[in-house]
């Protein structure tokens, strides 16, 4: 009995000690830590400016894509902006029937190797069916990205994608997949972009042949799906007035509006792992600014400074990227940026909507081999040694862009050279030399001439679609851009 009594007393004492310890812990930390900043705390203008500057930088690409959705939400149907640029209301696709024209200003660094399409995704409104026709041996890829410009669907020749119907759904969709759908791709955000790219060479025969293929590309809400391949004559799209102004890309992220838009943008793009505190911080500061006009004014002022000091310099390729031999640069995480905020914003500012590197590897150039800025007052050559053309399974090209990253109009209407050109002339040793200059070269070099803008800075850009291992692992890089004497 004594042993039982002692045991009971011991247990009672231990329990009392545990309760006392718990009570002391609760006194020291009476409630769980809050999920974010305390909204009751007055913040300083300097802190609001700090958060505003940081948020403007990392949220710039998200706001860029979101504002495209807002801009075109009231269009009556898919059509051609200014008669040349494919646009449409969310969840509708518009296709070109030929290369994009040099007057295009909605997306910097377009290419003239493919027939483009463009569609904005609003997956909160409906899941979407996207059609894949039979492309035969023709190269094609559909770029499908979320609000962060990260890819969430693998559709293209490099994936062995079969003709059929594919379903795009939002992060919260829980519906039933109907019979006849080949695969389902789920986005992490409700807003996104789809850009079909279909290779076309520059012969009249291929420009005619591609029409029957692209007529089978289509995007529509799931409610319209009937299991039958829809076809559309894209040559009959309506034309809308142009909204482009000036020579530069349309300004998609006005600093004075971003903090009014950012709560909706961030709601659309839930935080990635590790981003929750970042989101809570900026939303708390925006809330404080909405109650204090002086703070709001300071944040807008700081966003304007960030636009000029942080984002604008990223337009120049030479200011960022993985540095390669001969002053070329590249990135390895296109359309797969995750929390690499700097690279995502740099790419979005200079050449938004790049593909994943296994789909396309891009190489950027602002400088010649000696480090001088490329300029139309000079003549340059780019020589690919025998057997050293870009190693690709799809196609490659060298494109010239003016100082605004758009095509420089010229009498030849030639803006790139590469696989699409069937009349390139090779040197006796099997190498290929491309002439980059403003004035025409000798007659026997005209087929290899890439016209440059007279007296203006320009950039060069190598695309390698469906790159081989040598490009992916970095063992192949572009040759130098040599300034002629």
């Amino acid at each position: 009995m004594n042993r039982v009594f002692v045991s009971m007393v011991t247990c009672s004492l231990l329990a009392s000690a545990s309760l006392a310890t718990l009570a002391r812990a609760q006194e020291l930390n009476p409630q769980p830590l809050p999920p974010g900043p305390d909204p009751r705390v007055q913040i300083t203008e300097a802190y609001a400016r700090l958060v505003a500057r940081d948020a403007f930088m990392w949220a710039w690409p998200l706001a860029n894509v979101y504002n495209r959705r807002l801009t075109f939400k009231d269009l009556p149907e898919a059509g051609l902006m200014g008669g040349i640029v494919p646009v449409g209301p969310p969840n509708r696709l518009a296709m070109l029937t030929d290369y994009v024209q040099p007057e295009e200003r909605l997306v910097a660094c377009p290419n003239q190797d493919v027939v483009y399409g463009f569609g904005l995704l609003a997956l909160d409104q409906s899941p979407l069916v996207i059609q894949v026709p039979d492309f035969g041996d023709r190269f094609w890829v559909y770029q499908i990205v979320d609000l962060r410009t990260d890819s969430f669907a693998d559709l293209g020749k490099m994936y062995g994608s079969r003709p059929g119907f594919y379903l795009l759904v939002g992060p919260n969709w829980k519906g039933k997949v109907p019979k006849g759908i080949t695969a389902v791709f789920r986005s992490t955000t409700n807003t996104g972009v789809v850009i079909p790219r279909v290779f076309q060479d520059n012969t009249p025969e291929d420009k005619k042949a591609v029409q029957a293929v692209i007529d089978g590309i289509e995007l529509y809400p799931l409610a319209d799906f009937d299991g039958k391949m829809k076809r559309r004559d894209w040559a009959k799209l309506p034309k809308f007035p142009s909204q482009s102004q000036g020579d530069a890309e349309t300004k998609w992220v006005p600093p004075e509006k971003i903090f009014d838009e950012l709560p909706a943008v961030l709601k659309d793009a839930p935080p990635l792992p590790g981003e929750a505190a970042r989101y809570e911080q900026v939303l708390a500061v925006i809330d404080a600014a909405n109650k204090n006009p002086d703070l709001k004014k300071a944040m807008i002022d700081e966003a304007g400074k960030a636009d000029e000091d942080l984002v604008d310099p990223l337009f120049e390729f030479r200011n960022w990227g993985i540095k390669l031999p001969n002053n070329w640069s590249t990135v390895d995480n296109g359309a797969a940026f995750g929390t690499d905020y700097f690279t995502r914003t740099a790419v979005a500012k200079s050449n938004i909507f790049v593909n994943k590197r296994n789909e396309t590897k891009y190489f950027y150039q602002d400088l010649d081999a000696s480090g001088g800025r490329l300029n139309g007052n000079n003549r340059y050559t780019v020589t690919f040694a025998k057997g050293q053309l870009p190693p690709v399974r799809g196609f490659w090209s060298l494109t010239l862009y003016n100082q605004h990253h758009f095509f420089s109009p010229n009498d030849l209407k030639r803006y790139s050279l590469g696989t699409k050109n069937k009349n390139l002339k090779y040197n006796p040793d099997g190498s290929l030399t491309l002439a980059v200059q403003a004035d025409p070269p000798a007659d026997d070099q005209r087929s290899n001439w890439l016209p440059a803008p007279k007296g203006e800075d320009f950039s060069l850009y190598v695309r390698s679609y469906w790159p081989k291992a040598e490009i992916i692992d970095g063992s192949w890089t572009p040759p130098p851009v040599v300034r002629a004497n």
Side-chain angles (χ1 to χ4, degrees):
M1 292 293 293
N2 289 339
R3 292 177 181 174
V4 173
F5 177 75
V6 170
S7 177
M8 292 175 63
V9 170
T10 301
C11 289
S12 178
L13 290 173
L14 289 173
S16 298
S18 297
L19 290 172
T21 301
L22 179 61
R24 285 195 298 272
Q26 289 177 336
E27 289 175 2
L28 295 173
N29 187 18
Q31 59 183 3
L33 292 173
D38 188 336
R40 300 169 299 175
V41 174
Q42 177 178 313
I43 62 174
T44 63
E45 178 184 312
Y47 177 71
R49 284 180 175 272
L50 174 69
V51 173
R53 186 176 183 85
D54 179 60
F56 187 84
M57 174 69 182
W58 62 261
W60 195 93
L62 285 71
N64 185 305
V65 175
Y66 195 84
N67 284 335
R68 292 172 192 263
R69 173 176 171 175
L70 294 181
T71 297
F72 300 121
K73 66 181 178 62
D74 295 325
L75 285 177
E77 59 181 315
L80 299 176
M81 187 72 69
I84 59 171
V85 186
V87 294
N91 297 341
R92 293 296 178 183
L93 179 73
M95 287 291 303
L96 294 176
T97 56
D98 201 347
Y99 300 137
V100 65
Q101 295 301 302
E103 293 80 14
E104 183 271 318
R105 292 293 180 272
L106 296 186
V107 181
C109 291
N111 80 56
Q112 274 222 343
D113 305 286
V114 302
V115 178
Y116 273 116
F118 188 87
L120 289 157
L121 309 179
L123 297 171
D124 50 329
Q125 297 178 6
S126 171
L128 300 172
V129 174
I130 188 163
Q131 292 185 172
V132 173
D134 187 350
F135 288 97
D137 293 332
R138 188 180 298 274
F139 176 88
W140 67 280
V141 64
Y142 290 179
Q143 183 185 19
I144 304 176
V145 298
D146 62 16
L147 187 63
R148 293 184 172 90
T149 64
D150 284 340
S151 175
F152 69 90
D154 294 341
L155 275 177
K157 192 172 182 64
M158 68 285 301
Y159 300 112
S161 302
R162 293 176 292 147
F165 307 95
Y166 295 80
L167 190 63
L168 311 179
V169 303
N172 302 314
W173 186 75
K174 298 178 182 179
K176 182 179 180 181
V177 178
K179 183 179 180 180
I181 296 295
T182 303
V184 179
F185 298 108
R186 185 177 295 272
S187 174
T188 59
T189 66
N190 282 310
T191 300
V193 171
V194 55
I195 305 176
R197 292 173 170 91
V198 183
F199 178 73
Q200 170 189 275
D201 69 36
N202 68 344
T203 65
E205 295 79 13
D206 201 48
K207 291 187 177 187
K208 181 179 179 180
V210 78
Q211 304 307 315
V213 178
I214 64 174
D215 282 357
I217 302 173
E218 188 53 293
L219 175 79
Y220 45 86
L222 179 58
D224 296 341
F225 176 65
D226 58 9
K228 299 177 181 178
M229 191 70 70
K230 305 181 191 305
R231 301 195 65 85
R232 182 164 183 177
D233 184 353
W234 294 110
K236 296 181 179 179
L237 280 177
K239 297 180 180 180
F240 305 132
S242 175
Q243 295 182 353
S244 299
Q245 296 180 352
D247 296 324
E249 184 184 38
T250 300
K251 193 173 183 65
W252 293 108
V253 190
E256 65 275 12
K257 295 181 180 180
I258 189 169
F259 298 115
D260 292 330
E261 300 165 346
L262 208 48
V265 172
L266 298 185
K267 183 179 180 180
D268 195 337
L272 298 174
E275 286 189 325
R278 182 183 290 267
Y279 273 46
E280 292 287 348
Q281 180 186 59
V282 69
L283 291 173
V285 172
I286 290 174
D287 184 60
N290 287 336
K291 302 170 184 175
N292 184 333
D294 290 337
L295 277 186
K296 183 71 170 289
K297 182 179 179 181
M299 290 177 68
I300 292 173
D301 177 66
E302 198 62 40
K305 293 177 179 178
D307 196 26
E308 182 177 347
D309 301 338
L310 287 174
V311 178
D312 279 354
L314 302 180
F315 181 78
E316 305 292 339
F317 295 129
R318 64 189 182 277
N319 290 338
W320 56 274
I322 300 170
K323 297 306 176 182
L324 302 175
N326 304 311
N327 295 316
W328 289 92
S329 62
T330 190
V331 297
D332 275 345
N333 59 346
F337 301 106
T339 54
D340 184 352
Y341 307 112
F342 180 84
T343 304
R344 174 185 281 115
T345 299
V347 169
K349 178 63 180 179
S350 57
N351 64 141
I352 197 170
F353 303 132
V354 302
N355 297 73
K356 293 193 299 182
R357 68 173 187 165
N358 66 302
E359 296 175 355
T360 313
K361 194 73 160 62
Y362 304 87
F363 299 93
Y364 311 118
Q365 185 64 277
D366 287 337
L367 308 172
D368 63 28
S370 63
R373 184 70 175 90
L374 297 178
N375 186 278
N377 280 332
N378 305 314
R379 294 182 292 115
Y380 306 91
T381 59
V382 179
T383 299
F384 298 90
K386 181 180 180 180
Q388 288 300 307
L389 290 177
V392 295
R393 294 182 178 87
F395 67 86
W396 69 271
S397 65
L398 176 71
T399 302
L400 186 148
Y401 294 111
N402 65 17
Q403 59 187 315
H404 303 292
H405 288 186
F406 290 104
F407 299 135
S408 179
N410 58 78
D411 292 340
L412 288 182
K413 297 183 179 181
R414 182 185 294 168
Y415 312 107
S416 66
L417 292 170
T419 304
K420 70 173 184 179
N421 301 95
K422 302 306 179 183
N423 60 344
L424 294 176
K425 293 183 179 180
Y426 289 76
N427 300 318
D429 64 357
S431 63
L432 176 67
T433 297
L434 304 180
V436 183
Q437 58 192 63
D439 297 324
D443 288 345
D444 62 348
Q445 298 175 348
R446 293 265 179 126
S447 62
N448 293 18
W449 173 35
L450 191 55
K454 187 76 172 179
E456 296 180 10
D457 288 346
F458 64 87
S459 299
L460 293 174
Y461 192 118
V462 170
R463 285 179 170 83
S464 58
Y465 272 78
W466 197 359
K468 293 183 178 180
E470 303 96 296
I471 288 181
I472 296 295
D473 65 22
S475 57
W476 184 94
T477 57
V481 182
V482 179
R483 179 176 171 179
N485 295 326

